[in-house]
Amino acid sequence: MRLYMTVAAGGFRRHATYRMATAAGVFTNTVFGFILSYTYMALWDERPRLGGYDRADALAYVWIGQALIAVCGLMGGGFQEEVMERIRTGDIAVDLYRPADLQTWWFSDNLGRSAFQLLGRGVVPMAVGALAFDFALPSRPSTWPAFLLAVALGSIVSFSIWYLVAMSAFWLMDGQGVAQVAWLGGLFFSGMLLPLNVFPGALGEVARVLPWASMLQIPADVYLEKYEGWGLLGAYAFQGCWATVLLAAGRLAQTLATRKVVVQGG
């Protein structure tokens, strides 16, 4: 356990050294926050209460999305390319033979990355959005820790998806195709473009039960206090179930990959 805590702390420190990249990310997220805010304002002026949100809710949703892009890996986990490169070069064999579990190692590293991104790229865009627009704020102090827990669970689901994407490189010549599919899935089905509650009919029903909903839609709805009591526990259970299933799938993929390495090495 101490080893993995050290890995998490190292992941935090490693990403904290990229000051210019962090500043560029904050700037980009803030600019896109303004663009999306004015787009949403025009849309909600025409369709008040669209998706069950009023205008203040919709604006809050925009800035939550910009704050969580990097935290929950909506457009990339931040580690899968490194893992796929190690698989391509064969260096992953060394990792698999180390007395440290590969999945837990990268989980810990991603935990540190997410924690830094929350502080480094999440807080500032939210603060700017709150100053520039009249968006909804939680009415209860207890909503903030509930929101952070939903964000943490969303980050775990994100890691699980991107770890599976990385593991696909063991069986494919190039895992970039799978990564592109996962990127598109995160972009569309997380609710990053529009809240999933806006999606019509069967599309909306399907989108809301896919794992990507855990990464933005559910944390945003927790922040907006759309869940209370058992409904909040149900939202956490949804995220937890997807995290458990996907982590187990990643574990299975890792086991099969290890056997493949052992057979080829033998």
Side-chain angles (χ1 to χ4, degrees), residues 137-185:
L137 294 171
S139 62
R140 301 186 297 268
S142 61
T143 300
W144 288 104
F147 169 64
L148 291 176
L149 177 55
V151 170
L153 290 170
S155 179
I156 294 173
V157 173
S158 171
F159 165 80
S160 306
I161 292 173
W162 289 109
Y163 189 75
L164 280 170
V165 170
M167 289 293 103
S168 71
F170 273 105
W171 293 274
L172 301 174
M173 294 296 293
D174 186 357
Q176 292 302 318
V178 178
Q180 286 295 318
V181 172
W183 181 83
L184 288 172

Side-chain angles (χ1 to χ4, degrees), residues 53-66:
Y53 299 133
D54 59 23
R55 178 167 158 169
D57 291 340
L59 288 171
Y61 187 95
V62 167
W63 291 98
I64 292 169
Q66 294 306 304

